[in-house]
């Protein structure tokens, strides 16, 4: 039985201004799968995440991206979000004065409205939040503060995963979520991600280091270099990378 | 798909919601300003001689003054002879004795503005004095307030019914010699609100004045005087709107606050005069002098303002901290969009010992708007252990607007401390994208970010006003990105 594809990227070429960054990137992600995308800095990992989420300033010159069979690139960023695309940011921005809970409630209700569901009121939302907080071992105080304001690096990343837990995306893209995390934070974030794994959704975990994959077990590992995937495999590829480094893998090619 | 540059540059004008004109016959003086005009106004209001004389003195002084040019705003020279200085809805027979006799069209106007004056629909917990062009239309809840000894009425009535109080305090905080527009106002002011809270009384409800300019080619020159006697406290709200007209109209008001020993006055403004269109045609010139004196020990005056309207806003609600241990506070949000200009801030003059002042100013610039914060913190030699904290933040939306800060600090003793913090931020494309990525539309994201930016000021506003202010901010910035 073939699985349902959530994301199909085919021969994607894209860049900024005159600089080409993605050069024929292809990847298919099916429901229930966790994919790890690894590569050196500058290989195009974060550009891919940005293009999938709809950040402005990138030109797609060739190729296609299908999301549940629809052209993803046609949609505005907020439409993609409402359709279930979630990006956990590498550098989450601070929004001073905007309460985290208020922000997340507004976001969730936009998504619910889009799905034709009724909006949650403050009480229903708080009940939901309390539930999710337990799963992620998040400090409740963070929710009383402004969005990411004054959060430590680890708190920001945990808050991103918390948002992901509340918004329940179909496709979660984690952009270097492990960067800047100490080992305890890494464990908490990873266990959160593992708990959020569902058969009808998928995760794309972008990382530079193998260490995150000690905690998040991917179904597939892809190594990216110069704008495209150069090698794909199972979780053993990550271990090979750990042993031989990127040089070792690239030399084999 | 929208792009960042598109979003931030496409400016669409939001209709000004309060731009309608009330079709009511009005009685106006012909345009022009002379001693006769002033005597006419004074006679029309049946004023005592001392007040007429005061007006004439102010006018003569004004004639010797030059229009100031130091402010960071640009506008064509005002022709003071082209303005009508008095306009009132034509009375049908005698002056109305109660609201039942007021022209229903006027009452309708205020209903449309969300300020019902009739007994039935009145705002709970808020007493309103409604000023239409040059005159007060009616004041609600006055009997109830009178039971506590609180006087809340139009300025004209106060002149007749409480002449001693008016005589004692009129011009005591803003003398007619103070500045060009204060002198002009003193000469030609037509009405306004008067409020006196007696010793030890806490005013049980919010007092409010709602200003409406309706007549064309007229100016509005009103005067507000609030006196809180020993241990008294009051919270006062002021709201303003005007019809959409192509010409610029002048609003030059004076507000004086007097707080005696242990008294507290909280003065909140939501200013939404017509701002002109996106090309800068029309709109109100809002040139206002607002000042309070903390005359008594441990008294406190708080100014909170949300300035979203007017083609030009030029005002500095200030505090003279004379009484030992007195406190002055200024919380401000000023928004400019399209071609609007604002030069606003405060003056905190510390004279008494252990006086404290707090300044929190949030300036938001969008479109081609120019927003300046100008503030003075003056600590005199006598003001031992005075403290000031100032925070001035500016936010820019788009690339064609401007934010400017002109802080002045003068400290004349060694026991005082002054802190000043300032920041300028651009509404980040990163912030907007972050919100978009969570499912929020760009306009909602901007509203959310801006409201967050202004939170420290909004929390100082009375509840109902805070809600209105947030909505207003949304409307003012609608189309600034999107």
């Amino acid at each position: 039985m073939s699985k349902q594809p959530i994301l199909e990227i085919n021969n994607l070429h894209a860049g900024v201004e005159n600089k080409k960054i993605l050069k024929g990137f292809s990847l298919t992600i099916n429901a229930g799968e966790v994919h790890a995308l690894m590569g050196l800095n500058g290989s195009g990992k974060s550009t891919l995440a940005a293009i999938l989420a709809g950040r402005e300033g990138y030109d797609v010159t060739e190729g296609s991206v299908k999301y549940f069979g629809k052209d993803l690139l046609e949609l505005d960023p907020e439409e993609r979000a409402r359709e279930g695309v979630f990006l956990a940011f590498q550098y989450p921005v601070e929004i001073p004065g905007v309460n985290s809970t208020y922000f997340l409630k507004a976001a969730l209700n936009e998504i619910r409205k889009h799905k034709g569901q009724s909006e949650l009121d403050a009480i229903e939302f708080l009940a939901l939040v309390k539930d999710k907080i337990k799963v992620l071992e998040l400090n409740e105080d963070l929710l009383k503060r402004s969005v990411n304001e004054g959060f430590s690096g680890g708190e920001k990343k945990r808050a991103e995963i918390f948002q992901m837990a509340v918004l329940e995306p179909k496709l979660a893209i984690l952009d270097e979520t492990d960067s800047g995390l100490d080992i305890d934070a890494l464990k908490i974030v990873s266990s959160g991600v593992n708990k959020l794994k569902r058969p009808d959704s998928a995760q794309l975990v972008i990382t530079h280091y193998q260490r995150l994959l000690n905690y998040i077990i991917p179904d597939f590992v892809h190594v990216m270099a110069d704008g495209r995937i150069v090698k794909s495999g199972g979780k053993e590829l990550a271990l090979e990378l750990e042993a031989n480094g990127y040089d070792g893998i690239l030399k084999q090619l | 798909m929208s792009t960042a540059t598109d979003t931030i540059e496409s400016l669409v004008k939001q209709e000004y919601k309060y731009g309608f004109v009330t079709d009511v016959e009005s009685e106006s003086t012909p345009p022009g300003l002379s001693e006769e005009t002033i005597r006419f106004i004074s006679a029309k209001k049946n004023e005592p001689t001392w007040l007429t004389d005061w007006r004439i003195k102010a006018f003569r002084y004004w004639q010797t003054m030059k229009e100031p040019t130091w402010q960071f705003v640009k506008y064509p020279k005002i022709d003071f002879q082209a303005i009508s200085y008095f306009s009132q809805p034509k009375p049908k027979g005698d002056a109305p004795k109660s609201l039942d006799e007021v022209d229903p069209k006027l009452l309708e106007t205020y209903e449309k503005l969300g300020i019902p004056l009739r007994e039935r629909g009145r705002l709970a917990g808020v007493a309103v004095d409604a000023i239409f062009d040059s005159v007060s239309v009616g004041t609600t809840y006055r009997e109830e307030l009178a039971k506590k000894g609180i006087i809340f009425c139009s300025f004209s009535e106060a002149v007749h019914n409480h002449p001693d109080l008016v005589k004692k305090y009129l011009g005591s905080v803003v003398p007619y010699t103070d500045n060009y527009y204060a002198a002009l106002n003193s000469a030609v002011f037509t009405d306004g609100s008067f409020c006196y809270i007696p010793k030890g009384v806490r005013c049980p409800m919010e007092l409010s004045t709602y200003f409406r300019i309706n007549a064309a080619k007229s100016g509005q020159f009103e005067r507000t005087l609030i006196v809180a006697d020993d241990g008294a406290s009051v919270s006062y709200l002021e709201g303003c709107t005007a019809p959409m007209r192509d010409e610029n109209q002048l609003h030059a008001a004076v507000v004086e606050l007097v707080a005696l020993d242990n008294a507290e006055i909280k003065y909140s403004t939501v200013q939404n005069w017509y701002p002109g269109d996106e090309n800068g045609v029309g709109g109100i010139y809002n040139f206002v002098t607002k000042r309070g004196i903390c005359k008594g020990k441990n008294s406190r005056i708080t100014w909170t303002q949300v300035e979203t309207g007017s083609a030009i806003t030029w005002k500095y609600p200030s505090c003279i901290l004379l009484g030992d241990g007195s406190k002055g506070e200024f919380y401000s949000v000023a928004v400019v969009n399209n071609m609007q200009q604002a030069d606003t801030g405060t003056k905190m003059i510390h004279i008494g010992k252990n006086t404290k002042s707090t300044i929190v100013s949030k300036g938001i610039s969008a479109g081609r708007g120019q927003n300046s914060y100008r503030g003075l913190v003056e600590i005199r030699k006598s003001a031992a252990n005075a403290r000031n904290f100032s925070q001035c933040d500016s936010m820019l939306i788009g690339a064609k607007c401007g934010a400017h800060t002109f802080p002045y600090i003068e400290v004349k003793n060694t026991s005082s401390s002054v802190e000043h913090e300032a920041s300028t931020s651009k509404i980040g494309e990163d912030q907007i994208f972050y919100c978009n990525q969570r499912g929020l539309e760009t306009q909602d994201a901007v509203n959310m970010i801006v409201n967050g930016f202004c939170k420290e000021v909004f929390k100082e506003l009375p509840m109902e006003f805070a809600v209105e202010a947030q909505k207003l901010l949304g409307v003012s910035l609608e189309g600034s990105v999107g």
Side-chain angles (χ1 to χ4, degrees):
Chain A
M1 191 182 94
S2 68
K3 289 181 180 171
Q4 185 192 19
I6 289 183
L7 184 71
E8 297 161 278
I9 306 173
N10 188 21
N11 189 32
L12 190 65
H13 291 256
V16 282
E17 283 166 17
N18 296 321
K19 195 175 167 228
K20 269 192 100 174
I21 301 174
L22 298 184
K23 303 167 187 172
F25 186 97
S26 298
L27 174 66
T28 298
I29 299 179
N30 296 314
E33 294 174 353
V34 176
H35 289 243
L37 183 62
M38 304 185 69
L40 288 169
N41 287 332
S43 57
K45 304 187 300 286
S46 287
T47 297
L48 178 75
I51 289 173
L52 292 180
R55 189 188 277 275
E56 294 152 6
Y58 295 93
D59 297 321
V60 173
T61 48
E62 210 183 320
S64 67
V65 180
K66 286 203 167 128
Y67 176 70
F68 286 103
K70 280 193 288 190
D71 184 354
L72 183 69
L73 303 179
E74 277 293 301
L75 302 176
D76 282 341
E78 60 269 29
E79 291 168 337
R80 299 181 195 192
R82 292 172 197 165
E83 291 278 340
V85 176
F86 180 92
L87 173 64
F89 284 73
Q90 186 176 5
Y91 304 108
V93 294
E94 303 190 356
I95 310 180
V98 176
N99 177 273
S100 296
T101 309
Y102 174 78
F103 174 80
L104 194 51
K105 177 169 160 265
L108 179 65
N109 279 334
E110 286 298 338
I111 292 168
R112 290 181 64 93
K113 255 195 298 190
H114 183 76
K115 287 186 192 158
Q117 297 170 330
S118 64
E119 295 183 42
L120 294 186
D121 63 25
I123 296 166
E124 292 164 329
F125 182 73
L126 276 179
L128 173 76
V129 160
K130 285 235 151 83
D131 222 38
K132 304 280 183 186
I133 266 186
K134 274 189 215 139
V135 178
L136 292 173
E137 299 169 60
L138 195 76
N139 185 348
E140 231 173 292
D141 284 352
L142 289 189
L143 290 172
K144 293 179 186 143
R145 285 157 57 184
S146 298
V147 179
N148 293 321
E149 198 190 22
F151 287 22
S152 69
E155 284 171 337
K156 282 184 185 172
K157 297 295 171 70
R158 258 183 276 175
E160 290 289 286
I161 302 303
F162 174 69
Q163 293 188 13
M164 178 177 142
V166 171
L167 301 179
E168 297 184 340
K170 293 277 177 223
L171 174 66
I173 304 157
L174 284 70
D175 188 10
E176 306 222 11
T177 296
D178 51 332
S179 68
L181 290 187
D182 60 33
I183 205 77
D184 291 334
L186 192 64
K187 279 183 192 164
I188 293 173
V189 166
S190 315
S191 89
V193 170
N194 289 334
K195 283 172 195 163
L196 298 175
K197 194 178 163 180
R198 286 200 321 264
D200 62 341
S201 66
Q203 298 178 351
L204 176 60
V205 180
I206 295 174
T207 181
H208 180 78
Y209 301 106
Q210 191 274 335
R211 63 171 195 164
L212 179 66
L213 304 182
N214 290 333
Y215 304 100
I216 296 175
I217 311 297
D219 301 302
F220 301 94
V221 175
H222 311 279
V223 177
M224 190 171 176
D226 196 25
R228 60 202 175 87
I229 290 174
V230 292
K231 189 164 186 180
S232 296
K235 58 180 185 281
E236 69 289 344
L237 181 56
L239 298 172
E240 187 189 333
L241 200 61
E242 169 94 330
N244 304 331
Y246 283 103
D247 281 349
I249 300 262
L250 296 178
K251 263 182 212 152
Q252 295 171 21
L253 297 171
Chain B
M1 203 171 85
S2 64
T3 70
T5 343
D6 282 351
T7 8
I8 294 198
E9 279 176 8
S10 72
L11 294 160
V12 187
K13 180 74 186 95
Q14 156 78 12
E15 283 282 301
Y16 180 73
K17 211 169 117 193
Y18 307 102
F20 62 88
V21 179
T22 306
D23 178 21
V24 51
E25 246 189 291
S26 65
E27 243 184 3
S28 302
T29 56
L33 181 57
S34 63
E35 286 198 15
E36 281 80 80
T37 323
I38 293 161
R39 287 186 196 283
F40 172 84
I41 294 172
S42 194
K44 193 94 197 160
K45 304 185 95 53
N46 202 13
E47 283 175 357
T49 323
W50 65 265
L51 190 51
T52 316
D53 292 348
W54 191 74
R55 287 173 178 278
I56 297 291
K57 269 195 274 179
F59 178 64
R60 289 181 183 159
Y61 189 79
W62 178 73
Q63 286 178 306
T64 68
M65 298 175 89
K66 282 209 169 69
E67 205 176 330
T69 53
W70 48 264
Q71 67 278 25
F72 195 76
V73 298
K74 282 190 207 137
Y75 59 95
K77 220 170 156 44
I78 297 173
D79 180 359
F80 291 95
Q81 296 303 332
I83 297 171
S84 164
Y85 288 85
F86 186 77
S87 171
Q88 68 174 4
K90 206 169 198 169
K92 296 185 172 165
D94 291 337
K97 285 182 191 64
S98 76
L99 282 170
D100 299 335
E101 295 175 30
V102 169
D103 188 334
K105 273 188 189 159
L106 291 182
L107 296 179
E108 247 170 59
T109 301
Y110 285 93
E111 299 240 343
K112 253 173 149 172
L113 295 169
I115 318 286
L117 299 176
R118 285 190 190 89
E119 197 80 43
R120 213 164 7 99
R122 279 179 191 177
L123 300 173
V126 183
V128 180
D129 184 24
I131 312 259
F132 191 86
D133 288 334
S134 303
V135 294
S136 170
V137 172
T139 313
T140 62
Y141 287 114
R142 49 204 299 175
E143 292 84 12
E144 216 171 312
L145 293 168
K147 279 182 206 149
K148 296 219 162 210
I150 295 167
I151 304 167
F152 181 43
C153 61
S154 72
F155 206 93
S156 311
E157 286 170 273
V159 168
H160 292 287
N161 302 335
H162 312 282
D164 297 344
L165 282 171
V166 175
K167 213 168 165 177
K168 184 170 174 188
Y169 292 108
L170 177 69
S172 71
V173 193
V174 182
Y176 63 73
T177 52
D178 189 82
N179 70 66
Y180 192 77
Y181 290 99
L184 178 64
N185 173 286
S186 304
V188 304
F189 77 90
T190 44
D191 213 331
S193 299
F194 174 81
C195 169
Y196 172 80
I197 317 288
K199 274 186 186 148
V201 172
R202 304 185 71 82
C203 188
M205 59 179 84
E206 309 274 353
L207 301 186
S208 154
T209 303
Y210 202 89
F211 296 103
R212 173 79 181 165
I213 296 178
N214 188 62
K217 295 194 169 50
S218 65
Q220 191 172 46
F221 305 91
E222 83 280 352
R223 241 184 134 94
T224 301
L225 174 57
I226 301 173
V227 180
D229 213 324
D230 296 350
S233 76
V234 62
S235 170
Y236 194 91
L237 319 173
E238 176 197 85
C240 342
T241 56
M244 289 159 73
R245 296 188 187 281
D246 301 343
E247 79 214 59
N248 293 107
Q249 284 180 285
L250 179 62
H251 172 249
V254 171
V255 176
E256 296 179 283
L257 312 181
V258 181
L260 301 181
D261 286 355
N262 302 305
E264 283 184 20
I265 302 176
K266 195 173 162 64
Y267 195 104
S268 312
T269 304
V270 172
Q271 185 266 106
N272 187 23
W273 294 118
Y274 176 54
D277 68 12
E278 69 270 26
N279 298 314
V281 176
I284 302 289
Y285 291 160
N286 190 35
F287 299 166
V288 172
T289 308
K290 291 181 167 179
R291 195 175 305 151
I293 183 164
C294 286
K295 213 169 177 182
K297 59 176 199 297
N298 302 321
S299 53
R300 177 179 188 164
I301 289 178
T302 305
W303 296 102
T304 307
Q305 59 171 20
V306 177
E307 304 282 325
T308 59
S310 296
I312 303 178
T313 295
W314 177 27
K315 61 182 247 196
Y316 312 94
S318 303
C319 299
I320 301 169
L321 303 169
L322 182 63
D324 289 348
S326 60
K327 275 188 198 146
E329 292 166 313
F330 173 74
Y331 300 98
S332 170
V333 167
V335 184
V336 291
N337 194 0
N338 296 318
M339 295 293 280
Q340 284 177 275
Q341 309 172 67
D343 190 320
T344 183
T346 183
K347 291 190 276 186
M348 292 290 175
I349 317 286
H350 293 252
I351 301 171
K353 292 186 197 70
N354 302 313
T355 45
K356 276 191 192 136
S357 62
T358 304
I359 299 172
V360 178
S361 163
K362 305 277 183 178
I364 298 159
S365 316
R368 284 174 287 169
Q370 293 294 330
N371 209 335
S372 304
Y373 167 81
R374 188 186 302 275
L376 167 69
V377 176
E378 180 184 333
I379 298 187
R380 302 220 178 137
K381 203 161 182 201
S382 54
N385 298 313
R387 297 272 176 276
N388 162 265
F389 172 75
S390 302
Q391 183 189 336
C392 306
D393 299 325
S394 308
M395 180 176 267
L396 301 170
I397 304 177
K400 289 178 183 156
C401 53
H404 317 272
T405 307
F406 305 98
Y408 305 85
I409 298 171
E410 291 171 22
V411 182
K412 301 246 167 63
N413 69 39
T414 53
S415 59
S416 297
S417 82
V418 173
E419 277 178 75
H420 185 96
E421 287 176 11
S423 77
T424 303
S425 55
K426 217 175 151 194
I427 254 208
E429 284 166 13
D430 282 353
Q431 286 175 322
I432 292 177
F433 178 64
Y434 187 81
C435 296
N436 288 157
Q437 213 300 306
R438 296 300 183 255
L440 303 169
E441 308 233 347
T442 299
Q443 189 65 51
D444 293 341
V446 169
N447 286 348
M448 200 181 255
I449 295 165
V450 167
N451 273 306
F453 176 72
C454 300
K455 199 176 202 171
E456 287 150 285
V457 173
F458 286 164
K459 75 177 181 0
E460 296 297 326
L461 285 172
M463 190 60 179
E464 315 78 43
F465 249 35
V467 175
E468 188 183 329
Q470 287 195 18
K471 280 193 212 142
L472 201 55
L473 216 61
V475 172
S476 297
L477 290 171
E478 201 144 302
S480 63
V481 291

